[in-house]
């Protein structure tokens, strides 16, 4: 969903596993100055994402301890002063003298870059992955940090400021139990924002609990009102949530399908281990058409898939064809079921834990270990085979659904060919109502999807035609959450979009053919505009997800008001800005509210919404794939009740409701 409100994505690169771990001695003894100098190199960005990265780093260490079998409970508290506390009941970070540094192991782990991994207890370190820069990075980027360890019958503690120890390691006397507590306050001079998002935290903690069956994550948010001097006013209030799933991925899939109609009641659950690689897969078919497959390697969401996902997909297609033929369920079709056919309506989660994961690709979101492919195939073939063999009614309904999908896909192919032939007869293959740009470098090119013909007209006149293309959309576009692929291809507005964007969709999607690196949704700031925007986002999310994942989808921000006095004109994008404008211009300024884009003069539209030098664009990104999937389903799916509940719950957040 739309997050970081900037056109310029933080472009720091996350440090890949290969460059960090397996590091030599020299690297092991590196101090923390480079982290404060170039934080983006270690945590990706200093925006909201990077800020939350600090939390993942600390909690991942506790999860590692849980995976090693020593920790069951992790309690995370977002405190009223904006600091974080993470408590676990693992073995505790060792406190004895470290031979290499001459300091305690605790201080070494907290103050030496990359030291953490060296003391790992073996097993499947989450910290071998995309996060895994070490807790010292958290320390370096925190205004203050305190670590407390329960170990050997005593309590130990040490405090730090911006990575430097401010106390010795202190022995606080006898105490029972074992565990580690880390408290830290992110450094406001490093981060653009130090406000944690409850939604982001909850999404990830829930996911961690699904992925690590049996571990309990407690999450508390403390609230404390204070006066202007920071003195408390009234009582401290704590909101709490507990995430604990005995069913692991089975519960994850049930959660994803909570508001969907399913083809069968049970979630299939498969797991196994081979050569140190642990594989867990859960799946359930819905009666719908979209595919939801989440994949993880060492608890990290591999958004670009990889060998584990390929292994699962291959074996699913092969087995359903095999059993379909064997059970005589494919007798009416000569063709084999394709991968897309067998995945229509499927919700599944694939999770592997690999001792030495290799993450590939620009965003390190793809698992590269080749050995994992065969291992996933073998484990899934074995378990799924048993299931298909022993549950004939399941087998029959799943293969029946895949055959329906095959027929629809066949119809879609014909529709597509028909359009191709039709457009080949015309002089240009691009849709007639597209006002294309003259420069054809996709890197620079922008496509505005504009609600309505009149706004489309203003946009065409106001744009910079060298790099801005305009495609007006008429009325409501098809709800792709509730339609099968053949209907989607047959829809004119969608067809125009697909042809203009150039990539194709679903199984024919090819990002290399993208004609515009920015696809900008520009709708009115009212309820209808929001609806059209949601329909477009649903379409992109379900049928061209890579466009979203790679940051190509944007939302234009037209102003809501114009405040003017004499020659001075101020455009305001929200009520706060309007207040500021009134203050600046004085109380007798004239304020007008824009009813829609169509009302704006072309120059006005350019100046306020389209000129790269002055506009604001929201870049759409997927912070949490599971939550996004659920949200699109709730908003656009078949069931009315969850939608009603959602709207009631969020009614208070809706501003500028214009009915
Ligand atoms: C190194 C060795 C051992 C435990 C840990 C690290 C450890 C680190 C963290 C960070 C957060 N929670 C943690 N819990 C444990 C185990 C040494 C031993 O007892 O053999």
């Amino acid at each position: 969903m739309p997050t970081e409100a900037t056109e310029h994505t933080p472009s720091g690169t996350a440090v890949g596993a290969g460059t960090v771990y397996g590091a030599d001695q020299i690297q092991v003894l590196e101090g923390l100055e480079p982290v404060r100098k170039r934080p983006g190199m270690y945590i990706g960005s200093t925006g909201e994402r990077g800020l939350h990265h600090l939390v993942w780093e600390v909690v991942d260490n506790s999860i590692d301890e849980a995976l090693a079998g020593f920790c069951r409970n992790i309690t995370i508290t977002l405190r009223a002063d904006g600091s974080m506390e993470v408590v676990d009941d693992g073995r505790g970070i060792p406190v004895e003298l470290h031979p290499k540094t001459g300091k305690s192991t605790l201080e070494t782990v907290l103050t030496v870059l990359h030291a953490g991994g060296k003391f790992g207890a073996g097993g499947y370190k989450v910290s071998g992955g995309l996060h895994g820069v070490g807790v010292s990075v958290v320390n370096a980027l925190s205004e203050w940090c305190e670590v407390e360890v329960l170990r050997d019958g005593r309590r130990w503690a040490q405090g730090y400021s911006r990575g430097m120890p401010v106390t010795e390691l202190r022995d606080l006397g006898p105490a029972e139990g074992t565990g580690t507590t880390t408290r830290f306050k992110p450094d406001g001079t490093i981060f653009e924002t130090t406000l944690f998002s409850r939604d982001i935290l909850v999404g990830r903690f829930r996911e961690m609990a699904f992925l690590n069956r049996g571990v309990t994550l407690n999450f508390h948010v403390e609230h404390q009102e204070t006066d202007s001097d920071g003195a408390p006013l009234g009582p401290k209030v704590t909101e709490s949530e507990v995430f604990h799933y005995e069913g692991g991925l089975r519960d994850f899939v049930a959660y994803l399908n909570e508001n969907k109609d399913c083809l069968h009641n049970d979630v299939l659950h498969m797991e196994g281990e081979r050569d140190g690689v642990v594989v867990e897969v859960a799946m359930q078919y819905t009666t719908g058409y979209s595919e939801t497959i989440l994949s993880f390697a060492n608890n990290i969401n591999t958004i670009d898939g990889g060998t584990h996902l390929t292994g699962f997909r291959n074996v699913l297609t092969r087995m359903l064809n095999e059993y379909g033929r064997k059970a005589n369920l494919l007798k009416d079709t000569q063709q084999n079921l394709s991968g897309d056919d067998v995945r229509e309506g499927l919700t599944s989660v694939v999770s592997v834990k690999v001792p030495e994961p290799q993450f590939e690709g620009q965003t390190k979101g793809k698992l590269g270990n080749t050995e994992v492919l065969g291992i996933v195939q073998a484990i899934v073939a074995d378990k799924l085979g048993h299931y298909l063999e022993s549950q004939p009614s399941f087998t029959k309904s799943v293969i029946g659904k895949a055959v329906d999908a095959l027929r629809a896909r066949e119809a879609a192919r014909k529709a597509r060919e028909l359009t191709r032939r039709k457009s080949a007869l015309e002089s240009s293959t691009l849709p007639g109502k597209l006002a294309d740009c003259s420069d054809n470098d996709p890197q620079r090119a922008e496509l505005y999807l504009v609600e309505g013909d009149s706004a489309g007209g203003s946009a065409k006149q106001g744009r910079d035609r060298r790099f801005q293309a305009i495609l007006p959309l008429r009325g409501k576009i098809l709800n792709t959450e509730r339609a099968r692929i053949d209907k989607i291809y047959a829809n004119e507005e969608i067809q125009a979009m697909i042809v203009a964007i150039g990539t194709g969709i679903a199984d024919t999607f090819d990002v290399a053919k993208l004609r515009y690196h920015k696809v900008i949704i520009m709708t009115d700031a009212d309820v209808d505009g929001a609806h059209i925007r949601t329909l477009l986002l649903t379409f992109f999310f379900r049928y061209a997800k890579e466009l979203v994942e790679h940051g190509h989808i944007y939302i234009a921000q037209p102003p809501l008001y114009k405040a003017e006095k004499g020659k001075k004109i101020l455009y305001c994008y929200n009520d706060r800005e309007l207040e500021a404008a009134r203050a600046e211009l004085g109380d007798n300024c004239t304020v007008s509210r824009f009813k829609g884009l169509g009302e704006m003069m072309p120059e006005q539209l350019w100046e306020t919404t389209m000129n790269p030098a002055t506009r604001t664009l929201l870049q759409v990104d997927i912070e949490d794939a599971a939550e996004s999937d659920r949200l699109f389903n709730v908003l656009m799916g078949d069931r009315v009740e969850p939608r009603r509940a959602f709207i009631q719950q969020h009614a208070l957040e809706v501003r500028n409701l214009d009915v």
Side-chain angles (χ1 to χ4, degrees), residues 63-72 91:
I63 291 279
D64 280 345
E65 191 65 3
L67 290 177
F70 299 103
C71 161
R72 297 197 58 82
R91 287 168 296 180

Side-chain angles (χ1 to χ4, degrees), residues 58 61-62 65 88 90-94 119-121 151 180:
V58 175
N61 282 295
S62 303
E65 191 65 3
D88 72 45
R91 287 168 296 180
I93 301 177
F119 311 101
R151 213 180 140 91
T180 305

